[in-house]
Structure formats: structure tokens, C-alpha cells
Amino acid sequence: MQQQPGLRRAMGGFDATTVGVGAMIGAGAFVVFAPAAAAAGPLLPLAVVIAGFVAYCNASATASLAVRYPSSGGTYLYGREQLGHWTGFVAGWGFVTGKLASCAAMALTFGLYAAPGAEKPAAVAAVVALTTVNLLGVTRTALATRAIVSLVIPVLAFVIVVGFSTPPARESLAGGVPGPGGVLQASALLFFAFAGYARIATMGEEVREPLRNIPAAIFGALGFTALLYLLLALSLLHALGVEALADATAPLRDVMDAAVPGEGSTGRGGAVVTLAAALASLGALLALIAGVGRTTLAMARGRDLPHVFARVSARFGVPWAADTAAAVVVIVLLLATDVLTVVGFSSFGVLLYYAIANVSAFTLAERQWYSPRWLNVVGAACCLVLAFTLPPVSVLTMLAVLAMGVAARALVLAQRRRRA
């Protein structure tokens, strides 16, 4: 069998950090705060802190594992090497299936903002264009993400300043304090918006000086995004109040509208936020396609997916077969399903993925200072608790998808044993 070329270590620390930030501040920043506020009420900032803490637990585990295994695949590779092939397969299958749904939802979010009424054609065009960018090499991916992030972050910072500068909403402290279940459910929803730092680890084979750059990029991206989200939550509560924030379909745009009354100003403010949301969804989609492609590549190398997906472009050093297949599946989901109704199970898959990452990190003999064993235990437990606070439909859907993957792998292994 012909040896496939490896991926190129073309990304420095800043590029890797930018990819992580771009994956985290995607469309989630524009839509996740409303349902989270409905669950957590005035304790929304606490939910952000809890989600950020769980994300730190997972980031520390992911960073220590990426140092030990600086190759593509993320927790699929880590679980396979530390816990066994079956555990690695569950992590990889959960990641790929969940993130394919996330890709479709992110593409549709772009279409809804950029081309209302023609959102699906716009979403398909976005998938094709960004897959092409990924196929031209990881440096193009990082460059495009850097451009998008440089445009989106100033808009988010401006919304934060505007939110704090407006008079506080009367109803910002109205309503009762929710119970622990509401706060935890809000944390699980917000965790979806944090889950982008893993993109750095899944692309670990393409980062220069991985022992130094991967942990620095993961913690840098997570710290920056956590601070941004906390300030955003506080400003939204200040400007809109709990009830208005929970009922909002576009809360950031509502802040701009409340601060700058008048039809003309409202149109300009709404246009700025709409443009930022469209760009943010593109940035997240770009990073998601890259991450899914790298995990698919690793699973094909491990013979858990067809080996054709292990093909790497000799010219551009990218997993072109895996990226192309991911794009095709996303386009089919866009055209054949109502993506926004099924994407909820992605959060369950991501939390299970990180639970396996924490358990894998726990088994490492060489310890990094930022990933003590007790933190791995806390991280795994928190992931499982948050996962099962999600709506039952999301949990059952993802469990069914995981069961189908496990059954298919068992059949393939049985056939291989009969042939042997």
C-alpha cells in the first residue's frame, strides 16, 4: 500500500490561537445567550463561569494529551492510545457526527443572516467556498480565520461598550432565582459556544513546535474567549434585562437598537451586527470543516472509517478526501433536513468527547503542571453532568447515533476476523 504523505507543520502559535478563537466566537456568541438566559435568569454570568471552568478542565486535558500525541485526530487518537480502540472510536464517531450537524447549522446561520429567503442556497455556497479554502492549505485556513476574527471582535467589543453605557433595564433584576438545574442547563448550552479550542488539538499535526505552541494556543484562545463572553453576558443583562434577553431572537442587535433609537440608526446598527454574525458563522464553519476533516483522516488511518479518507494532498498537505466528504455530507444535511431541529444532540456528543479526553489525560504517566489528575476527574464528572442536563430528545438522539456507529464497527470487525 502506498504511503500517504503527512500533513505540514505550517501554523505558528499565533495562527493556532486565531483558529481556536475563530471556532469559539462563531455564531454561538450571537444566538446562545438568549436560551441560556431563559434557563439561568439573572445567574447567567454564573453559568458562563461554570461553562468556562469546565472548558478549562477540558482544555488542560486536551493540551497535555496533544503534547504527548502531536498528530491529527484529537480525542479519537488520545482515547485510542490511552484507553483502547473502542473508546477512541466512540469519541471520534461522536465528534464527527455531532460536528457535521454543527457545520450544517453554522452554514444555515450564515444563510439566515446574509440572504433571508434564500438561506439554503447561500449556506451551500458558503460550504463550497470554505471547503475550497481548506483544500488550498492550512495557512490559507489560518489567514482567512484571522481576517474574519479581526472584523468580528471589534463589533463584539463595541456591543459590550454600548450595553454598559445604556441605562440599566428595569426588569434586569426581575423574576426569581432559578434552581441549580437551570444554571447547569444554561452552562451546557454555553459550553457549545466554548467548544472550539479542540480544533487546535485536532490540527496538532500542522502546528510548528507543538510542545510549546499547542498548550499556549489552547489556553490563550480559551482565556480570551471566556473573558469576552463574561463581559458580553453582563452587558446584555444590563442593557436588556433578563426577560427581554430570554425572549430575544437577536440580542446583540437589540442592544444596538435600544442604545441608538430611530429608524435610520437602527438600520445601521442592525446591519453592523448582522454582518458580524454572518462573518462569525463563516469563521466557525471554516474551523469546523477543518476539525472534522482531521478527525476523519485519523479515523481512516486507524481503519475505523474507509481508508480512502486517509488521502492527503501532496501539493497542499491537506486531507482532501476527508474534507470533501465532510462538505458533501453537510450539503446533504442542508438540503434534506431541517438542521436547526437536530443540532441539539451535538452538545451531548461534544461533552461525551471531552469526558473521554479527561479520562485519557488521567491515565498519562507524564504530568503537565496545568493538568493534575484531580482536575481530570472533575472535568470528566462535569462533562457527564452537563451532558445529561440537556433536553431528553437531544440525549436520546445522540445515543442512537452512537449505537449505530458501534454496531457498524462491530460488523466490520467481525467480517475482518472471518476473512483472517
Side-chain angles (χ1 to χ4, degrees):
M1 185 179 296
Q2 184 179 3
Q3 183 69 29
Q4 289 293 326
L7 303 182
R8 296 174 184 170
R9 296 197 179 277
M11 286 197 300
F14 183 76
D15 284 338
T17 304
T18 303
V19 168
V21 172
M24 280 187 278
I25 65 162
F30 294 84
V31 298
V32 77
F33 285 100
L43 297 181
L44 176 63
L46 176 61
V48 174
V49 171
I50 292 174
F53 172 73
V54 177
Y56 175 79
C57 293
N58 300 337
S60 66
T62 301
S64 61
L65 289 161
V67 168
R68 175 67 179 84
Y69 302 105
S71 299
S72 288
T75 301
Y76 164 73
L77 174 65
Y78 312 148
R80 183 182 173 93
E81 295 296 329
Q82 294 296 128
L83 303 175
H85 288 194
W86 273 108
T87 307
F89 174 81
V90 169
W93 183 246
F95 179 88
V96 169
T97 54
K99 290 302 183 181
L100 283 172
S102 296
C103 286
M106 211 62 71
L108 189 59
T109 300
F110 167 78
L112 289 169
Y113 275 98
E119 53 271 6
K120 286 196 174 183
V124 171
V127 172
V128 173
L130 296 185
T131 301
T132 303
V133 172
N134 271 324
L135 293 177
L136 292 176
V138 72
T139 54
R140 272 75 169 184
T141 301
L143 181 62
T145 305
R146 188 187 304 178
I148 292 170
V149 167
S150 66
L151 294 172
V152 173
I153 288 178
V155 174
L156 294 177
F158 183 62
V159 171
I160 291 171
V161 172
V162 170
F164 280 125
S165 64
T166 59
R170 291 182 182 179
E171 66 271 27
S172 60
L173 297 178
V177 177
V183 176
L184 290 177
Q185 188 175 83
S187 299
L189 292 169
L190 287 161
F191 181 80
F192 178 80
F194 276 106
Y197 48 84
R199 221 69 68 244
I200 302 168
T202 57
M203 301 174 72
E205 194 173 328
E206 296 158 281
V207 178
R208 296 192 299 268
E209 299 182 53
L211 297 182
R212 178 175 64 88
N213 284 333
I214 291 178
I218 288 175
F219 291 124
L222 178 61
F224 177 84
T225 306
L227 178 61
L228 186 70
Y229 281 173
L230 182 59
L231 292 174
L232 196 55
L234 291 169
S235 68
L236 290 173
L237 284 176
H238 177 88
L240 300 178
V242 174
E243 294 180 5
L245 176 57
D247 294 335
T249 56
L252 277 70
R253 187 168 56 199
D254 291 346
V255 168
M256 299 293 292
D257 292 345
V260 190
E263 185 176 352
S265 298
T266 300
R268 288 194 296 271
V272 170
V273 172
T274 297
L275 176 62
L279 288 173
S281 59
L282 287 179
L285 178 60
L286 184 64
L288 279 169
I289 292 173
V292 170
R294 273 63 180 180
T295 302
T296 303
L297 166 70
M299 295 184 73
R301 286 172 171 173
R303 301 185 68 196
D304 283 326
L305 287 177
H307 194 262
V308 65
F309 298 136
R311 294 181 178 178
V312 175
S313 168
R315 179 179 179 184
F316 297 109
V318 295
W320 65 268
D323 282 351
T324 303
V328 171
V329 173
V330 171
I331 291 172
V332 170
L333 287 174
L334 283 169
L335 297 178
T337 65
D338 183 4
V339 180
L340 294 181
T341 63
V342 300
V343 73
F345 76 83
S346 177
S347 292
F348 185 88
V350 170
L351 286 162
L352 180 63
Y353 175 87
Y354 283 117
I356 293 174
N358 277 284
V359 176
S360 300
F362 180 85
T363 64
L364 287 173
E366 297 180 4
R367 310 302 305 175
Q368 304 293 331
W369 66 267
Y370 48 77
S371 184
R373 279 195 169 90
W374 67 264
L375 193 64
N376 302 149
V377 174
V378 171
C382 288
C383 285
L384 293 176
V385 169
L386 291 183
F388 285 97
T389 62
L390 289 165
V393 173
S394 299
V395 175
L396 294 175
T397 301
M398 193 60 195
L399 288 176
V401 171
L402 291 172
M404 287 188 290
V406 168
R409 185 174 191 266
L411 289 174
V412 171
L413 292 179
Q415 289 178 350
R416 289 175 184 170
R417 283 194 295 269
R418 283 198 295 269
R419 292 172 184 172

